[in-house]
Amino acid sequence: MINWNEIETKWRNKWSESKDFETNPNDKPKKFITVAYPYPNSPQHIGHGRTYTLADVHARFYRMQGYNVLFPMGFHYTGTPVLGMAKRIEKGEKEILDGLRNIYHVPEEDIKTFVEPIKIADYFHEEIKSGMIEMGYSIDWRREFTTIVPGYQKFIEWQITTLKENGRIIQGSHPVGWCPKDQNPVSQHDTMGDVEPKIDDKNFLVKFKFGEFVFPITTLRPETIFGITNLWVNPNTVYKKVTVDHETWIISEECAHKIEFFEKDVSIIGDIPGTELIGKSAVSLHNNAEIPILPADFVEPSMGTGLVMSVPAHAPKDYQALMDLKAKNHEIASKIEPIPIIVTEGYGAIPAKDICEKLGVSDQADSKLEEATKELYLKEFTDGKLNEKCGQFNNEKVQFGRDKVRVWLQENKHLEKFPVLENSPVRCRCGAECVVKILNNQWFLNYGDESWKELARNCFDEMNILPSNIKTEFIEVIDWLHERACARQQGLGTKLPWDKDWIVESLSDSVIYMAYYTISRFVNDGTVQPENLTREFFDYVLLDKGDVALAASTSKLSEDVINTMKKEFQYFYPVDSRHSGRDLVQNHLSFFVLNHVAIFEKKYWPQEIVVNGSVMMDGAKMSKSMGNIIPLRTAIKDHGADPIRLAIISSAELLQDADFNMESVSGIQSKLASLLDECSRLKNEPVSELQAEDRWILSKTQRMISQVTEAVEKMRLREALHDILFSFESDLSWYAKRVEAKERDNVSGILHQINSARVAMLSPFAPHIAEEMWEKLGNNELVSKSSWPAYSKEDVDATSIQSENFLKSTIDDIANILKVTKITPKKIVLYVNSDSAKSKIYRKMLSIMVGGQNNMGVVMKELIADPETADAKKMPDFVQKTIKDLHSESEEIKQMKLESESFDEKEFLKSELFSIGKKEFGVEIQVYSESNSDIYDPKGKARHARPFKPAILIE
RNA sequence: GCGGGAGUCGCCCAGCCUGGUCAAAGGCGUAGGGCUUAGGACCCUAUAUCUCAGGAUUUCGUGGGUUCAAAUCCCACCUCCCGCACCA
């Protein structure tokens, strides 16, 4: 049994002694590999490990290919989650404390300090970092930073100022979920049950006049104002007269409390019962029509303003309420007829009537109305068209017309936004019910700007996206992205330089920070102090703006230091590969590109993005509530870092979700153990004369090298690993079979050569155990410092590949016959083709078919056209069968057959088939030429022989 | 609604990018055999259908198309899953 941790510690120490991963500029070509830094509010689990492991493999691969690779790491402290955690811990909430104790095994004395948010981040920072070291990540730790250190904050101030000056930042109002008690915005982390407060900002308020008052009514469908027949008021509700800024509104009390958070001046000045409104009329502002006010029980004071506009032609509820009144012979209602304004295929003049009848709605209390409403709204939205009643909007499709009507009303001040909580009630952890608050003066990154989007598209066009099929998703994201708030009022982070009430939002301060890795080294070693990092300094170093004298005078640094830092930035930038999880495509990764193109010149735009899927645990999503989260460090202790690295990589290709399970881990462990065992037994002896199977396995090795290299270049790591560890195994076992049959004992040198290549290629994936194997193979240097095996075409022997193939297929054929006939062979005889006419035709056909032609008629014509092969017409049967043979062979094999000129089937079979045949079938195999005069051929099989397809006789 | 992804031989799942070595890998299950006092573990064999000579037939959600050749490329359809923001 292998002691993984012991081996891992041994090699980790050697790496850190040799400082191989500490990267400074030199004269080699560079690669700059980065991963999204972690947010330290919990230890990393196996899922986090995936992205970092992929990046580490990438970095190690490039290093072996001779690049000077920079692979750094930082920690993202910015944000609010640790604030919420600290609060909950302070309150002693059992759920979170149990999680810390039982899942994360945080020592009690540390938990005590967690009432302070930064202590939480600090603790998990160290935890995560230790895990990364134990996983063997080849990180340059000298450049590490957190996002709240002064140097980084200087950088963020510079970034956000630059964006503002480039016109990328605008100001506006924005609705957020809000806790009225805490006076804070709420996000998922702040609510009971971790629900995300969802804000519906497609909800609007349309104003009507009622004498001196404003009668505001909310709706999701502004276009239906053209179909209003009346308004609904609840007769059992007492409404309030409320002054709102300079108007007096009639609304429900509940509504009055909601709009207090809309940055409006609100005060309740009196009551007015619903009954007092009923029977009177309001006036609609867009056409000054008199709209009667009628009673309806379904109107809920807590919904919207507590007032409802009635569109009976298109709203099932309104239709039914109207019908109910008519049935009671209500005087006003009986004069009202629905006004249809939307034409939808499949519905008659009054769609609401149709659907109520279809579903058999009985009255306005009928629960089927919900369903009717949902169905009709959706149908009318997707398929409906506005009609002539809608004036200038006649013939517009509803899905576009709605927006146009909204804009029109808004411009005339007849309509306002009325955002609501879609999933209310949402409760804050403090217990209070959350509301929607409109924040004025919010700062936005103007991602909606078309010229900005265009720059980003240019960048994506030239960027390498892995896997490539996710590129369309990026393009789509850029299309729908619009203004995004870039500041918030709480949490850790950097203050907006021009408005200290706000903190730079945490996704906005993590988009171009890779540039800071080239600077942090100098801050960490004391060469520069945070206060040296002035705007002019960054402008000069990162943008090549201004001049060194200016930078030096404001930063108080020497010109030498500044120029060294500038050179370092210019050496490492741009980012060559950015690794991240799939969930970050829609935000971080897109912002990463947008911010780069907004700030840097084109030569510093990112070169590549690699996106990976998440990790499942035994087929299920990992979650705290399921208790199936395995902290990475626990897993390392239990199974070893390398087996975990391989298990994560080998279970899925990049974008797919990887499934982590114990079977695969132990499978990998035993695979690695047996490879290690093999390596320690192989001697690096000189290789004597090569035999057929030696040339073959060496050719196959070359093929594997080229396949693996290509796969890693495309980050198809699962495929690469599979090739190294598993696919190649079947070739090796065939080789072993051949060697054993021949009773050879001098192949150690060849296997040593092959396994050296395998171990070298394995080392980026499983770096520790590969070092151990490398040492066992007799090397003194580290494998991580060795070169990636190079594919050499000269070592590929086409003839040997072809001949081994021939041997295998012959043996398969024999086995096949034995299987079908179920006889035990006493004698096996092969008849090899020796008819030169057949051979000529075969070669000719080969050349025709390599060109892509497979049609019997065409092939035949070409054969007959050539006098050399004209005899083909006498044996159509042979031609047809041969076409079939060749048909099923790969292009590669066909090509090789063509390349290898003459090949003596009989000699080859005689020398090679003897041993293996005897081993496989227990009898000696005799080989004849079909044309031999003295052959043993009692059944006349010999004449069936075709090139590369000997006839077989079994008795 | 907008966008992304998936549907494979009892089950899970590979192959699809780059068409031919694909009746299609691997695991599980099942059946038979070996090893065992027995069980477990382990090993071997079989596992679409037909076939006593290396063969044939029908298969990769459905229906078309391109091609000498389609699980793989194109089009349409059906079913299922995921994301839609100010949150890391």
Side-chain angles (χ1 to χ4, degrees):
Chain A
M1 203 46 216
I2 293 182
N3 185 337
W4 299 95
N5 291 332
E6 192 180 297
I7 291 176
E8 284 158 10
T9 311
K10 166 179 163 190
W11 293 106
R12 263 202 314 277
N13 290 340
K14 297 220 175 179
W15 295 331
S16 87
E17 277 164 29
S18 69
K19 297 189 188 299
D20 280 339
F21 308 137
E22 298 184 358
T23 312
N24 292 333
N26 62 22
D27 46 16
K28 289 203 283 186
K30 64 88 191 182
K31 290 282 181 189
F32 186 14
I33 311 287
T34 69
V35 199
Y37 48 24
Y39 182 79
N41 68 335
S42 63
Q44 60 190 351
H45 54 71
I46 295 174
H48 300 113
R50 185 169 183 202
T51 314
Y52 300 117
T53 302
L54 291 168
D56 185 54
V57 173
H58 207 183
R60 286 175 175 274
F61 170 68
Y62 276 138
R63 223 171 262 126
M64 290 176 76
Q65 285 207 319
Y67 290 98
N68 188 29
V69 175
L70 175 57
F71 180 33
M73 189 59 63
F75 291 85
H76 195 200
Y77 276 35
T78 320
T80 52
V82 285
L83 265 58
M85 280 177 75
K87 261 190 218 157
R88 294 171 65 192
I89 290 166
E90 192 170 10
K91 278 194 199 155
E93 274 185 34
K94 190 173 171 340
E95 191 194 339
I96 187 164
L97 289 171
D98 282 354
L100 291 171
R101 288 179 187 131
N102 304 332
I103 301 180
Y104 299 152
H105 308 294
V106 181
E108 212 56 42
E109 63 268 25
D110 287 308
I111 294 181
K112 281 197 193 106
T113 69
F114 281 8
V115 292
E116 221 180 305
I118 292 188
K119 295 283 188 209
I120 300 175
D122 281 342
Y123 177 85
F124 289 118
H125 171 177
E126 285 313 316
E127 172 75 19
I128 292 169
K129 182 177 173 182
S130 306
M132 288 176 166
I133 292 171
E134 285 163 12
M135 280 293 270
Y137 298 151
S138 54
I139 291 168
D140 181 354
W141 287 109
R142 299 171 307 156
R143 296 170 189 270
E144 178 192 357
F145 57 81
T146 80
T147 59
I148 56 167
V149 297
Y152 189 82
Q153 297 198 329
K154 289 279 183 192
F155 174 73
I156 295 304
E157 284 172 11
W158 168 80
Q159 176 206 336
I160 203 91
T161 305
T162 306
L163 284 170
K164 185 149 186 280
E165 294 193 349
N166 292 357
R168 301 303 183 189
I169 292 180
I170 55 173
Q171 205 173 19
S173 73
H174 185 68
V176 294
W178 182 265
C179 172
K181 197 174 149 203
D182 291 349
Q183 292 284 305
N184 264 331
V186 284
S187 64
Q188 191 176 346
H189 312 284
D190 310 313
T191 61
M192 285 185 174
D194 278 344
V195 282
E196 175 84 34
K198 285 202 167 186
I199 293 166
D200 181 357
D201 59 355
K202 297 262 181 293
N203 199 37
F204 303 100
L205 176 153
V206 180
K207 290 180 184 172
F208 292 77
K209 249 186 1 212
F210 183 76
E212 68 204 274
F213 301 109
V214 169
F215 220 66
I217 295 180
T218 56
T219 179
L220 287 161
R221 310 173 77 188
E223 76 279 13
T224 57
I225 54 154
F226 296 109
I228 294 178
T229 57
N230 60 289
L231 304 180
W232 298 119
V233 157
N234 191 326
N236 307 318
T237 301
V238 176
Y239 290 86
K240 300 285 175 189
K241 295 173 184 169
V242 183
T243 59
V244 179
D245 293 341
H246 307 297
E247 298 171 342
T248 306
W249 292 9
I250 295 177
I251 48 179
S252 68
E253 189 173 358
E254 287 91 331
C255 176
H257 292 309
K258 279 184 208 160
I259 58 175
E260 283 170 20
F261 297 97
F262 287 6
E263 299 281 331
K264 288 179 184 296
D265 204 355
V266 177
S267 58
I268 297 175
I269 56 169
D271 292 350
I272 181 163
T275 45
E276 219 170 280
L277 299 163
I278 291 163
K280 296 178 179 155
S281 286
V283 176
S284 65
L285 292 172
H286 69 283
N287 61 359
N288 287 317
E290 294 259 328
I291 315 280
I293 299 172
L294 299 179
D297 296 333
F298 72 81
V299 176
E300 288 184 32
S302 60
M303 291 292 286
T305 52
L307 308 164
V308 173
M309 61 190 212
S310 170
V311 188
H314 301 288
K317 277 186 193 169
D318 296 344
Y319 175 81
Q320 195 54 49
L322 184 63
M323 288 303 125
D324 290 356
L325 279 184
K326 281 183 185 241
K328 288 188 207 155
N329 288 320
H330 189 279
E331 191 197 330
I332 303 173
S334 57
K335 289 183 209 147
I336 294 176
E337 285 309 320
I339 307 172
I341 57 147
I342 297 169
V343 183
T344 308
E345 212 175 303
Y347 288 95
I350 303 172
K353 181 179 171 207
D354 291 356
I355 196 152
C356 283
E357 283 168 5
K358 188 180 115 193
L359 295 175
V361 173
S362 53
D363 58 36
Q364 60 184 295
D366 196 327
S367 61
K368 287 198 278 290
L369 278 170
E370 286 299 330
E371 190 192 337
T373 304
K374 219 172 151 187
E375 188 179 327
L376 186 60
Y377 273 31
L378 185 62
K379 189 78 181 157
E380 290 190 327
F381 179 72
T382 52
D383 300 349
K385 254 187 182 176
L386 299 179
N387 71 8
E388 73 288 346
K389 293 253 170 43
C390 305
Q392 62 188 103
F393 305 104
N394 185 16
N395 253 331
E396 286 277 0
K397 291 184 101 177
V398 172
Q399 39 184 314
F400 306 116
R402 175 175 297 172
D403 245 19
K404 292 185 180 171
V405 174
R406 193 208 80 217
V407 170
W408 174 65
L409 289 171
Q410 210 160 5
E411 279 169 357
N412 291 306
K413 310 260 185 228
H414 299 163
L415 175 145
E416 289 181 13
K417 283 192 166 190
F418 190 89
V420 292
L421 274 183
E422 204 175 295
N423 52 345
S424 65
V426 173
R427 291 199 175 276
C428 176
R429 287 197 184 277
C430 74
E433 186 173 338
C434 298
V435 296
V436 174
K437 179 173 169 72
I438 295 180
L439 292 177
N440 276 333
N441 311 319
Q442 168 67 287
W443 296 96
F444 294 93
L445 280 162
N446 191 14
Y447 291 143
D449 178 8
E450 197 43 46
S451 68
W452 196 353
K453 286 171 191 265
E454 198 48 39
L455 278 178
R457 287 189 196 106
N458 291 344
C459 181
F460 277 115
D461 278 347
E462 288 176 29
M463 202 188 323
N464 191 26
I465 311 269
L466 295 176
S468 56
N469 55 10
I470 203 159
K471 189 163 184 164
T472 51
E473 200 170 327
F474 275 111
I475 298 298
E476 184 58 34
V477 172
I478 296 296
D479 277 348
W480 65 250
L481 222 47
H482 52 82
E483 305 77 43
R484 186 187 170 94
C486 63
R488 53 182 303 159
Q489 296 189 312
Q490 56 169 358
L492 302 178
T494 307
K495 289 196 165 123
L496 271 189
W498 64 84
D499 188 348
K500 302 278 186 192
D501 290 344
W502 295 91
I503 293 163
V504 178
E505 185 269 330
S506 46
L507 286 188
S508 307
D509 83 348
S510 60
V511 284
I512 60 160
Y513 69 89
M514 311 83 208
Y516 187 72
Y517 284 123
T518 66
I519 290 168
S520 61
R521 173 166 84 89
F522 297 95
V523 180
N524 291 350
D525 73 9
T527 308
V528 302
Q529 301 300 317
E531 53 271 24
N532 299 129
L533 303 175
T534 59
R535 257 193 83 184
E536 291 77 11
F537 167 85
F538 284 120
D539 278 347
Y540 178 71
V541 171
L542 303 180
L543 301 183
D544 199 19
K545 257 169 62 178
D547 59 69
V548 66
L550 180 64
S553 73
T554 62
S555 69
K556 304 194 170 64
L557 291 168
S558 76
E559 294 191 2
D560 268 1
V561 167
I562 293 173
N563 279 324
T564 307
M565 293 176 76
K566 182 174 177 179
K567 262 192 206 147
E568 174 141 350
F569 168 76
Q570 293 185 338
Y571 175 77
F572 283 119
Y573 240 62
V575 171
D576 291 286
S577 191
R578 174 95 183 139
H579 285 254
S580 185
R582 153 152 234 170
D583 49 335
L584 299 185
V585 167
Q586 307 200 350
N587 42 55
H588 168 77
L589 286 170
S590 295
F591 303 159
F592 161 69
V593 169
L594 281 159
N595 282 273
H596 269 88
V597 301
I599 292 176
F600 292 106
E601 44 177 328
K602 193 163 181 179
K603 64 177 173 181
Y604 294 134
W605 290 2
Q607 301 295 299
E608 179 178 87
I609 286 178
V610 181
V611 182
N612 64 269
S614 62
V615 176
M616 317 271 277
M617 192 66 217
D618 288 320
K621 223 174 176 163
M622 272 192 264
S623 72
K624 251 193 256 178
S625 55
M626 303 247 312
N628 62 351
I629 292 185
I630 301 189
L632 191 60
R633 297 188 69 192
T634 311
I636 296 171
K637 258 186 219 104
D638 293 348
H639 312 290
D642 285 341
I644 290 165
R645 290 172 66 117
L646 297 196
I648 293 169
I649 292 169
S650 70
S651 69
E653 213 51 89
L654 260 188
L655 207 51
Q656 293 173 329
D657 291 341
D659 186 30
F660 187 86
N661 54 61
M662 284 313 140
E663 292 95 277
S664 63
V665 174
S666 63
I668 282 158
Q669 282 175 332
S670 62
K671 181 80 221 169
L672 290 176
S674 74
L675 192 57
L676 178 64
D677 182 52
E678 199 180 332
C679 287
S680 46
R681 279 186 286 110
L682 293 173
K683 300 254 165 6
N684 188 8
E685 350 180 283
V687 179
S688 53
E689 204 187 330
L690 295 177
Q691 302 203 16
E693 64 273 17
D694 301 335
R695 286 192 298 274
W696 175 80
I697 192 71
L698 290 173
S699 300
K700 283 291 202 177
T701 307
Q702 287 306 317
R703 211 175 100 132
M704 171 185 63
I705 290 172
S706 94
Q707 279 175 348
V708 170
T709 308
E710 197 189 323
V712 178
E713 273 163 0
K714 292 185 183 160
M715 285 307 281
R716 302 171 64 116
L717 300 189
R718 189 181 79 120
E719 188 179 308
L721 198 54
H722 203 263
D723 281 345
I724 299 169
L725 288 181
F726 302 104
S727 306
F728 191 63
E729 206 71 356
S730 68
D731 288 338
L732 275 177
S733 70
W734 171 254
Y735 179 70
K737 214 185 223 179
R738 293 269 277 137
V739 167
E740 196 186 334
K742 285 184 166 181
E743 295 175 0
R744 295 175 62 189
D745 54 5
N746 57 345
V747 296
S748 180
I750 290 166
L751 289 174
H752 184 275
Q753 195 179 325
I754 291 168
N755 277 321
S756 294
R758 282 174 97 192
V759 169
M761 291 193 291
L762 181 65
S763 74
F765 299 89
H768 312 89
I769 196 75
E771 293 287 5
E772 188 75 13
M773 292 171 182
W774 194 247
E775 187 184 58
K776 291 274 195 286
L777 285 168
N779 297 290
N780 297 322
E781 281 290 307
L782 292 169
V783 67
S784 56
K785 282 185 136 177
S786 73
S787 295
W788 185 259
Y791 172 74
S792 85
K793 199 165 186 316
E794 301 83 70
D795 290 335
V796 179
D797 178 6
T799 311
S800 74
I801 290 184
Q802 177 202 335
S803 56
E804 287 297 311
N805 243 35
F806 173 47
L807 188 62
K808 268 201 243 182
S809 75
T810 306
I811 286 181
D812 281 350
D813 282 349
I814 296 172
N816 228 325
I817 296 170
L818 291 175
K819 181 184 148 195
V820 178
T821 58
K822 301 189 180 89
I823 54 178
T824 315
K826 293 192 202 71
K827 188 180 185 110
I828 299 177
V829 188
L830 299 183
Y831 311 97
V832 174
N833 168 64
S834 60
D835 183 337
S836 69
K838 277 187 191 168
S839 300
K840 267 185 200 154
I841 294 170
Y842 187 87
R843 285 199 68 78
K844 176 84 180 176
M845 287 177 68
L846 203 51
S847 70
I848 296 169
M849 290 179 70
V850 162
Q853 184 52 258
N854 282 6
N855 183 294
M856 170 82 182
V858 178
V859 172
M860 197 53 126
K861 254 183 214 157
E862 284 205 36
L863 287 171
I864 296 171
D866 185 344
E868 286 265 303
T869 56
D871 279 351
K873 69 178 165 207
K874 292 181 195 154
M875 32 186 155
D877 196 43
F878 168 75
V879 173
Q880 185 152 23
K881 282 204 165 133
T882 307
I883 285 179
K884 243 185 159 174
D885 289 348
L886 292 175
H887 211 75
S888 59
E889 276 175 4
S890 69
E891 214 51 42
E892 193 189 355
I893 293 284
K894 277 187 255 185
Q895 198 65 46
M896 282 181 180
K897 277 187 177 170
L898 253 187
E899 277 167 22
S900 54
E901 278 300 317
S902 60
F903 175 67
D904 189 334
E905 290 181 39
K906 187 178 164 198
E907 273 314 303
F908 177 76
L909 286 182
K910 267 194 161 167
S911 64
E912 303 299 334
L913 191 60
F914 185 80
S915 55
I916 189 102
K918 177 147 190 180
K919 188 164 186 312
E920 290 281 299
F921 306 115
V923 291
E924 288 181 10
I925 299 177
Q926 294 168 3
V927 183
Y928 294 100
S929 275
E930 82 171 276
S931 56
N932 269 17
S933 48
D934 56 342
I935 58 173
Y936 172 82
D937 185 15
K939 291 198 178 158
K941 294 277 183 195
R943 64 193 168 82
H944 294 299
R946 303 201 296 280
F948 293 99
K949 201 83 181 161
I952 301 167
L953 170 71
I954 300 176
E955 291 181 335

